[in-house]
Amino acid sequence: MFDFEEELRKLPDQPGVYLMHDASDAIIYIGKALSLRKRVRQYFQPSHDEGIKKKQMVQHIARFEYIITDSELEALVLECNLIKEHTPKYNTMLRDDKTYPYIKVTVGEDFPRVLFSRRMNKDKSRYFGPYTSAGAVHDTIELINKIYRLRTCSRVLPRDIGLERACLNYHIHQCTAPCQGNISKEEYAERVNAVLDFLNGNYKPVLRDLEDKMNAASAEMEFERAIEYRELLNSVRQIAQKQKVTNTDGEDQDIIALASDDVDAVVQVFFIRGGKIIGRDHFHVRVGTEEQRGDILTEFVKQFYAGTPFIPRRIMLQEPVQDVEIMEEWLTKKRGHKVTIVIPQKGMKEKLVELAAKNAEMVLGQDKERIKREEGRTIGAVKELEGLLGIAGLERMEAYDISNINGFDTVGSMIVYERGKPKRSDYRKFRLKTVTGPDDYGSMREVLTRRFLHGMQEEKEINDSFTRFPDIILMDGGRGQVNVCLSVLSELGLDIPVCGMVKDDFHRTRGLYYNNVEIPIDRHSEGFKLITRIQDEAHRFAIEYHRSLRSKSQVHSALDEIEGVGPARRKALMRRFQSLENMKQASVEELAQTESLNRQVAEKVYEFLHRT
């Protein structure tokens, strides 16, 4: 159970993105915050009001999570990426990626230009961004053109050199006029390289130059020029904020970082697809006191990519791992294309790894108590049951239930819990074949016999959940249900402990029935809560299956009673005539013109519709 008060207390006073989940664990809202602590807390304050829509959203929040960033600007871009990926229900005032501008340098041209762009195309140009302020981007492009005097025209150079006169920018000293041949291609390229250097983050020389010019203009009492330099200076400072949450190379890559202490470790993975962080996940790893960080990462990379279907082109790690060449070869073979493992040492890639590491440290520090509570609810609860029953090693538990309405459409359910948690991939449904009428004992006998016979016959099928027998069987009931199960196991020569979950007259669990003795259980213990969850889950799964069968049996058309008319022909008839009444007005010839119908079937349809 998600403890809101506890989790709200743990919120960091840092910028980041928060994700709200509903009871089905779907993401229903994503937002950004300068302070996660202040912003997320606001949603749960009675006096806080952001309108009906947000109030409705808060009512559906079952849990929340968050990703910390280094600035609100990074949080905003990450928020945009995550919203586009997950399309949460309550993020309706969403702006598309095109609202975020890029700076485009057309390095594929002989005389490149610096342009404003709303999208990042797959061409030979270099893109920087996205940025959150279009005004700052325009100001920076203007600044670059003033300092480096690059062309802004669309002339095709060098083909058009000398064909037309130089434009106004040349005369106001904002262009070197390569269209007139006033600058060589090599000298122009040096200016472009300086621009790329600036856009890659080396903006200190420009800032220093602008500050000197601003101070000089102020000293000469040319205040208008000083204000102009000051505004450009502010624009450069704003645009210079690193956009670590978006990578301009547009590649698929994973960022992996680790935080650890003596007994636990958390590995954080950021998923970058198409150059943007679209999500993250963290994994808890139990480690030994002597285990090195590099060894932990090595084992994690092996296990994680052995099970994940998608492998990116590049994997960036916090620290070196063992056998890099072999691992790269293995991953390349799995992916079908070259995969590289790198440990960034500087620049934006290193910042991305640092961001992942910071989030891993946060999870490790703040989730310890939650992990302990979760273990108490799961592993701790199982150990309580082991103590009550005197049985050790109860890792896998199976529970069964029967559902019917007055004996019709009887079904059985099998649910599986491992280490105190449901393992839904191993759940199974049974539609009764030999039992008719309201016979719970007979129905349970059939379900158990089919389950264990299947497991005994298919032992070689390693991936079949039936081949894994439980460490204990939990029956929804007392002596009667337990004896039915023991009888089936005895007939099949199996020795598995069987325990009944006994309920009182109000249908509430009151104890356990084991070895012909009813064992009382503390209603406030984790073991009792686990038993209750197992009972409820077995009942829910059986009822859900029974409900689905009932709904299917009710979806029935009168046309199904006609010999030779199956689902395909029924659909074809309904598509053509829209209703039974229209169909009844049609002649045999008109019916026969329906797709997939021949005259013989058309005659049967006609006869059926015109029966008195």
PDB file of all heavy atoms in Angstrom, residues 196-222:
ATOM      1  N   LEU A 196      30.020  26.708 -34.001  1.00  0.00           N
ATOM      2  CA  LEU A 196      29.735  25.372 -33.467  1.00  0.00           C
ATOM      3  C   LEU A 196      30.338  25.202 -32.084  1.00  0.00           C
ATOM      4  O   LEU A 196      29.725  24.597 -31.193  1.00  0.00           O
ATOM      5  CB  LEU A 196      30.267  24.293 -34.424  1.00  0.00           C
ATOM      6  CG  LEU A 196      29.595  24.222 -35.801  1.00  0.00           C
ATOM      7  CD1 LEU A 196      30.324  23.214 -36.688  1.00  0.00           C
ATOM      8  CD2 LEU A 196      28.119  23.848 -35.672  1.00  0.00           C
ATOM      9  N   ASP A 197      31.529  25.738 -31.905  1.00  0.00           N
ATOM     10  CA  ASP A 197      32.188  25.675 -30.607  1.00  0.00           C
ATOM     11  C   ASP A 197      31.358  26.406 -29.556  1.00  0.00           C
ATOM     12  O   ASP A 197      31.155  25.927 -28.429  1.00  0.00           O
ATOM     13  CB  ASP A 197      33.587  26.284 -30.709  1.00  0.00           C
ATOM     14  CG  ASP A 197      34.434  25.955 -29.496  1.00  0.00           C
ATOM     15  OD1 ASP A 197      34.270  24.838 -28.948  1.00  0.00           O
ATOM     16  OD2 ASP A 197      35.250  26.790 -29.088  1.00  0.00           O
ATOM     17  N   PHE A 198      30.833  27.573 -29.932  1.00  0.00           N
ATOM     18  CA  PHE A 198      29.994  28.348 -29.026  1.00  0.00           C
ATOM     19  C   PHE A 198      28.719  27.588 -28.679  1.00  0.00           C
ATOM     20  O   PHE A 198      28.322  27.477 -27.511  1.00  0.00           O
ATOM     21  CB  PHE A 198      29.658  29.693 -29.673  1.00  0.00           C
ATOM     22  CG  PHE A 198      28.509  30.416 -29.029  1.00  0.00           C
ATOM     23  CD1 PHE A 198      28.643  30.972 -27.772  1.00  0.00           C
ATOM     24  CD2 PHE A 198      27.296  30.540 -29.683  1.00  0.00           C
ATOM     25  CE1 PHE A 198      27.591  31.623 -27.174  1.00  0.00           C
ATOM     26  CE2 PHE A 198      26.234  31.192 -29.097  1.00  0.00           C
ATOM     27  CZ  PHE A 198      26.382  31.738 -27.841  1.00  0.00           C
ATOM     28  N   LEU A 199      28.057  27.025 -29.694  1.00  0.00           N
ATOM     29  CA  LEU A 199      26.806  26.316 -29.459  1.00  0.00           C
ATOM     30  C   LEU A 199      27.011  25.011 -28.697  1.00  0.00           C
ATOM     31  O   LEU A 199      26.080  24.501 -28.063  1.00  0.00           O
ATOM     32  CB  LEU A 199      26.104  26.031 -30.795  1.00  0.00           C
ATOM     33  CG  LEU A 199      25.564  27.271 -31.514  1.00  0.00           C
ATOM     34  CD1 LEU A 199      25.043  26.900 -32.895  1.00  0.00           C
ATOM     35  CD2 LEU A 199      24.458  27.927 -30.690  1.00  0.00           C
ATOM     36  N   ASN A 200      28.217  24.480 -28.729  1.00  0.00           N
ATOM     37  CA  ASN A 200      28.526  23.279 -27.957  1.00  0.00           C
ATOM     38  C   ASN A 200      28.844  23.587 -26.501  1.00  0.00           C
ATOM     39  O   ASN A 200      29.097  22.683 -25.712  1.00  0.00           O
ATOM     40  CB  ASN A 200      29.707  22.529 -28.581  1.00  0.00           C
ATOM     41  CG  ASN A 200      29.244  21.561 -29.663  1.00  0.00           C
ATOM     42  OD1 ASN A 200      28.289  20.817 -29.464  1.00  0.00           O
ATOM     43  ND2 ASN A 200      29.910  21.582 -30.809  1.00  0.00           N
ATOM     44  N   GLY A 201      28.843  24.876 -26.160  1.00  0.00           N
ATOM     45  CA  GLY A 201      29.012  25.213 -24.744  1.00  0.00           C
ATOM     46  C   GLY A 201      30.186  26.093 -24.414  1.00  0.00           C
ATOM     47  O   GLY A 201      30.299  26.566 -23.280  1.00  0.00           O
ATOM     48  N   ASN A 202      31.048  26.334 -25.353  1.00  0.00           N
ATOM     49  CA  ASN A 202      32.201  27.195 -25.071  1.00  0.00           C
ATOM     50  C   ASN A 202      31.802  28.652 -25.304  1.00  0.00           C
ATOM     51  O   ASN A 202      32.217  29.303 -26.262  1.00  0.00           O
ATOM     52  CB  ASN A 202      33.380  26.799 -25.967  1.00  0.00           C
ATOM     53  CG  ASN A 202      34.641  27.566 -25.597  1.00  0.00           C
ATOM     54  OD1 ASN A 202      34.741  28.128 -24.504  1.00  0.00           O
ATOM     55  ND2 ASN A 202      35.611  27.589 -26.506  1.00  0.00           N
ATOM     56  N   TYR A 203      30.982  29.183 -24.412  1.00  0.00           N
ATOM     57  CA  TYR A 203      30.443  30.525 -24.591  1.00  0.00           C
ATOM     58  C   TYR A 203      31.128  31.570 -23.727  1.00  0.00           C
ATOM     59  O   TYR A 203      30.756  32.738 -23.745  1.00  0.00           O
ATOM     60  CB  TYR A 203      28.937  30.527 -24.294  1.00  0.00           C
ATOM     61  CG  TYR A 203      28.570  29.767 -23.045  1.00  0.00           C
ATOM     62  CD1 TYR A 203      28.618  30.366 -21.801  1.00  0.00           C
ATOM     63  CD2 TYR A 203      28.179  28.433 -23.125  1.00  0.00           C
ATOM     64  CE1 TYR A 203      28.299  29.667 -20.667  1.00  0.00           C
ATOM     65  CE2 TYR A 203      27.859  27.724 -21.999  1.00  0.00           C
ATOM     66  CZ  TYR A 203      27.918  28.346 -20.764  1.00  0.00           C
ATOM     67  OH  TYR A 203      27.604  27.645 -19.637  1.00  0.00           O
ATOM     68  N   LYS A 204      32.116  31.164 -22.951  1.00  0.00           N
ATOM     69  CA  LYS A 204      32.804  32.117 -22.072  1.00  0.00           C
ATOM     70  C   LYS A 204      33.462  33.254 -22.850  1.00  0.00           C
ATOM     71  O   LYS A 204      33.350  34.424 -22.444  1.00  0.00           O
ATOM     72  CB  LYS A 204      33.829  31.383 -21.209  1.00  0.00           C
ATOM     73  CG  LYS A 204      33.185  30.539 -20.113  1.00  0.00           C
ATOM     74  CD  LYS A 204      34.240  29.891 -19.232  1.00  0.00           C
ATOM     75  CE  LYS A 204      33.582  29.050 -18.132  1.00  0.00           C
ATOM     76  NZ  LYS A 204      34.589  28.407 -17.264  1.00  0.00           N
ATOM     77  N   PRO A 205      34.172  32.978 -23.966  1.00  0.00           N
ATOM     78  CA  PRO A 205      34.781  34.095 -24.707  1.00  0.00           C
ATOM     79  C   PRO A 205      33.741  35.113 -25.192  1.00  0.00           C
ATOM     80  O   PRO A 205      33.983  36.320 -25.127  1.00  0.00           O
ATOM     81  CB  PRO A 205      35.480  33.397 -25.884  1.00  0.00           C
ATOM     82  CG  PRO A 205      35.721  32.007 -25.427  1.00  0.00           C
ATOM     83  CD  PRO A 205      34.565  31.672 -24.550  1.00  0.00           C
ATOM     84  N   VAL A 206      32.581  34.629 -25.661  1.00  0.00           N
ATOM     85  CA  VAL A 206      31.548  35.542 -26.140  1.00  0.00           C
ATOM     86  C   VAL A 206      30.968  36.351 -24.991  1.00  0.00           C
ATOM     87  O   VAL A 206      30.747  37.562 -25.104  1.00  0.00           O
ATOM     88  CB  VAL A 206      30.442  34.751 -26.863  1.00  0.00           C
ATOM     89  CG1 VAL A 206      29.304  35.676 -27.261  1.00  0.00           C
ATOM     90  CG2 VAL A 206      31.009  34.048 -28.086  1.00  0.00           C
ATOM     91  N   LEU A 207      30.693  35.679 -23.871  1.00  0.00           N
ATOM     92  CA  LEU A 207      30.163  36.388 -22.700  1.00  0.00           C
ATOM     93  C   LEU A 207      31.137  37.466 -22.231  1.00  0.00           C
ATOM     94  O   LEU A 207      30.740  38.595 -21.890  1.00  0.00           O
ATOM     95  CB  LEU A 207      29.872  35.402 -21.571  1.00  0.00           C
ATOM     96  CG  LEU A 207      28.668  34.473 -21.765  1.00  0.00           C
ATOM     97  CD1 LEU A 207      28.621  33.428 -20.659  1.00  0.00           C
ATOM     98  CD2 LEU A 207      27.369  35.260 -21.788  1.00  0.00           C
ATOM     99  N   ARG A 208      32.417  37.097 -22.209  1.00  0.00           N
ATOM    100  CA  ARG A 208      33.437  38.060 -21.772  1.00  0.00           C
ATOM    101  C   ARG A 208      33.506  39.241 -22.738  1.00  0.00           C
ATOM    102  O   ARG A 208      33.580  40.412 -22.306  1.00  0.00           O
ATOM    103  CB  ARG A 208      34.791  37.351 -21.677  1.00  0.00           C
ATOM    104  CG  ARG A 208      35.890  38.202 -21.045  1.00  0.00           C
ATOM    105  CD  ARG A 208      37.088  37.355 -20.648  1.00  0.00           C
ATOM    106  NE  ARG A 208      37.558  36.521 -21.754  1.00  0.00           N
ATOM    107  CZ  ARG A 208      37.499  35.181 -21.731  1.00  0.00           C
ATOM    108  NH1 ARG A 208      36.979  34.553 -20.694  1.00  0.00           N
ATOM    109  NH2 ARG A 208      37.954  34.488 -22.766  1.00  0.00           N
ATOM    110  N   ASP A 209      33.449  38.959 -24.040  1.00  0.00           N
ATOM    111  CA  ASP A 209      33.511  40.019 -25.047  1.00  0.00           C
ATOM    112  C   ASP A 209      32.298  40.951 -24.951  1.00  0.00           C
ATOM    113  O   ASP A 209      32.433  42.181 -25.002  1.00  0.00           O
ATOM    114  CB  ASP A 209      33.582  39.380 -26.438  1.00  0.00           C
ATOM    115  CG  ASP A 209      33.711  40.419 -27.536  1.00  0.00           C
ATOM    116  OD1 ASP A 209      34.637  41.255 -27.456  1.00  0.00           O
ATOM    117  OD2 ASP A 209      32.895  40.393 -28.471  1.00  0.00           O
ATOM    118  N   LEU A 210      31.088  40.343 -24.759  1.00  0.00           N
ATOM    119  CA  LEU A 210      29.880  41.158 -24.637  1.00  0.00           C
ATOM    120  C   LEU A 210      29.907  42.019 -23.378  1.00  0.00           C
ATOM    121  O   LEU A 210      29.518  43.191 -23.392  1.00  0.00           O
ATOM    122  CB  LEU A 210      28.641  40.259 -24.608  1.00  0.00           C
ATOM    123  CG  LEU A 210      28.127  39.764 -25.958  1.00  0.00           C
ATOM    124  CD1 LEU A 210      27.007  38.772 -25.754  1.00  0.00           C
ATOM    125  CD2 LEU A 210      27.651  40.929 -26.803  1.00  0.00           C
ATOM    126  N   GLU A 211      30.401  41.433 -22.307  1.00  0.00           N
ATOM    127  CA  GLU A 211      30.467  42.190 -21.051  1.00  0.00           C
ATOM    128  C   GLU A 211      31.434  43.361 -21.179  1.00  0.00           C
ATOM    129  O   GLU A 211      31.155  44.470 -20.708  1.00  0.00           O
ATOM    130  CB  GLU A 211      30.884  41.253 -19.909  1.00  0.00           C
ATOM    131  CG  GLU A 211      30.654  41.864 -18.540  1.00  0.00           C
ATOM    132  CD  GLU A 211      30.755  40.832 -17.438  1.00  0.00           C
ATOM    133  OE1 GLU A 211      30.970  39.632 -17.735  1.00  0.00           O
ATOM    134  OE2 GLU A 211      30.618  41.226 -16.275  1.00  0.00           O
ATOM    135  N   ASP A 212      32.568  43.125 -21.847  1.00  0.00           N
ATOM    136  CA  ASP A 212      33.542  44.207 -22.061  1.00  0.00           C
ATOM    137  C   ASP A 212      32.928  45.318 -22.907  1.00  0.00           C
ATOM    138  O   ASP A 212      33.095  46.511 -22.612  1.00  0.00           O
ATOM    139  CB  ASP A 212      34.805  43.655 -22.754  1.00  0.00           C
ATOM    140  CG  ASP A 212      35.609  42.760 -21.824  1.00  0.00           C
ATOM    141  OD1 ASP A 212      35.379  42.811 -20.595  1.00  0.00           O
ATOM    142  OD2 ASP A 212      36.470  41.999 -22.333  1.00  0.00           O
ATOM    143  N   LYS A 213      32.200  44.936 -23.977  1.00  0.00           N
ATOM    144  CA  LYS A 213      31.578  45.934 -24.846  1.00  0.00           C
ATOM    145  C   LYS A 213      30.484  46.704 -24.116  1.00  0.00           C
ATOM    146  O   LYS A 213      30.323  47.919 -24.307  1.00  0.00           O
ATOM    147  CB  LYS A 213      31.012  45.265 -26.091  1.00  0.00           C
ATOM    148  CG  LYS A 213      32.084  44.771 -27.055  1.00  0.00           C
ATOM    149  CD  LYS A 213      31.464  44.101 -28.277  1.00  0.00           C
ATOM    150  CE  LYS A 213      32.548  43.649 -29.257  1.00  0.00           C
ATOM    151  NZ  LYS A 213      31.986  42.966 -30.433  1.00  0.00           N
ATOM    152  N   MET A 214      29.722  45.971 -23.257  1.00  0.00           N
ATOM    153  CA  MET A 214      28.673  46.634 -22.494  1.00  0.00           C
ATOM    154  C   MET A 214      29.272  47.656 -21.534  1.00  0.00           C
ATOM    155  O   MET A 214      28.803  48.805 -21.439  1.00  0.00           O
ATOM    156  CB  MET A 214      27.864  45.596 -21.709  1.00  0.00           C
ATOM    157  CG  MET A 214      26.738  46.188 -20.858  1.00  0.00           C
ATOM    158  SD  MET A 214      25.881  44.934 -19.881  1.00  0.00           S
ATOM    159  CE  MET A 214      27.200  44.462 -18.728  1.00  0.00           C
ATOM    160  N   ASN A 215      30.332  47.275 -20.839  1.00  0.00           N
ATOM    161  CA  ASN A 215      30.981  48.186 -19.893  1.00  0.00           C
ATOM    162  C   ASN A 215      31.612  49.375 -20.620  1.00  0.00           C
ATOM    163  O   ASN A 215      31.543  50.519 -20.135  1.00  0.00           O
ATOM    164  CB  ASN A 215      32.034  47.437 -19.081  1.00  0.00           C
ATOM    165  CG  ASN A 215      31.417  46.401 -18.143  1.00  0.00           C
ATOM    166  OD1 ASN A 215      30.261  46.550 -17.734  1.00  0.00           O
ATOM    167  ND2 ASN A 215      32.168  45.364 -17.822  1.00  0.00           N
ATOM    168  N   ALA A 216      32.214  49.079 -21.804  1.00  0.00           N
ATOM    169  CA  ALA A 216      32.840  50.169 -22.557  1.00  0.00           C
ATOM    170  C   ALA A 216      31.791  51.164 -23.045  1.00  0.00           C
ATOM    171  O   ALA A 216      31.977  52.392 -22.962  1.00  0.00           O
ATOM    172  CB  ALA A 216      33.617  49.593 -23.740  1.00  0.00           C
ATOM    173  N   ALA A 217      30.655  50.636 -23.548  1.00  0.00           N
ATOM    174  CA  ALA A 217      29.591  51.522 -24.016  1.00  0.00           C
ATOM    175  C   ALA A 217      29.021  52.338 -22.870  1.00  0.00           C
ATOM    176  O   ALA A 217      28.721  53.540 -23.022  1.00  0.00           O
ATOM    177  CB  ALA A 217      28.486  50.695 -24.674  1.00  0.00           C
ATOM    178  N   SER A 218      28.902  51.715 -21.710  1.00  0.00           N
ATOM    179  CA  SER A 218      28.386  52.439 -20.546  1.00  0.00           C
ATOM    180  C   SER A 218      29.348  53.530 -20.117  1.00  0.00           C
ATOM    181  O   SER A 218      28.944  54.653 -19.782  1.00  0.00           O
ATOM    182  CB  SER A 218      28.133  51.462 -19.391  1.00  0.00           C
ATOM    183  OG  SER A 218      27.651  52.126 -18.258  1.00  0.00           O
ATOM    184  N   ALA A 219      30.659  53.196 -20.155  1.00  0.00           N
ATOM    185  CA  ALA A 219      31.667  54.181 -19.762  1.00  0.00           C
ATOM    186  C   ALA A 219      31.671  55.376 -20.719  1.00  0.00           C
ATOM    187  O   ALA A 219      31.946  56.511 -20.314  1.00  0.00           O
ATOM    188  CB  ALA A 219      33.046  53.523 -19.717  1.00  0.00           C
ATOM    189  N   GLU A 220      31.377  55.115 -21.985  1.00  0.00           N
ATOM    190  CA  GLU A 220      31.330  56.188 -22.987  1.00  0.00           C
ATOM    191  C   GLU A 220      29.956  56.853 -23.023  1.00  0.00           C
ATOM    192  O   GLU A 220      29.684  57.675 -23.909  1.00  0.00           O
ATOM    193  CB  GLU A 220      31.678  55.612 -24.366  1.00  0.00           C
ATOM    194  CG  GLU A 220      33.120  55.105 -24.446  1.00  0.00           C
ATOM    195  CD  GLU A 220      33.389  54.346 -25.741  1.00  0.00           C
ATOM    196  OE1 GLU A 220      32.486  54.366 -26.609  1.00  0.00           O
ATOM    197  OE2 GLU A 220      34.465  53.731 -25.878  1.00  0.00           O
ATOM    198  N   MET A 221      29.095  56.453 -22.065  1.00  0.00           N
ATOM    199  CA  MET A 221      27.747  57.018 -21.921  1.00  0.00           C
ATOM    200  C   MET A 221      26.867  56.762 -23.153  1.00  0.00           C
ATOM    201  O   MET A 221      25.936  57.485 -23.441  1.00  0.00           O
ATOM    202  CB  MET A 221      27.816  58.523 -21.620  1.00  0.00           C
ATOM    203  CG  MET A 221      28.639  58.826 -20.361  1.00  0.00           C
ATOM    204  SD  MET A 221      28.590  60.542 -19.843  1.00  0.00           S
ATOM    205  CE  MET A 221      26.918  60.700 -19.261  1.00  0.00           C
ATOM    206  N   GLU A 222      27.166  55.649 -23.850  1.00  0.00           N
ATOM    207  CA  GLU A 222      26.311  55.213 -24.960  1.00  0.00           C
ATOM    208  C   GLU A 222      25.351  54.151 -24.405  1.00  0.00           C
ATOM    209  O   GLU A 222      25.490  52.953 -24.623  1.00  0.00           O
ATOM    210  CB  GLU A 222      27.158  54.656 -26.100  1.00  0.00           C
ATOM    211  CG  GLU A 222      28.059  55.702 -26.739  1.00  0.00           C
ATOM    212  CD  GLU A 222      28.869  55.130 -27.898  1.00  0.00           C
ATOM    213  OE1 GLU A 222      28.706  53.910 -28.183  1.00  0.00           O
ATOM    214  OE2 GLU A 222      29.659  55.864 -28.502  1.00  0.00           O
TER     215      GLU A 222
END
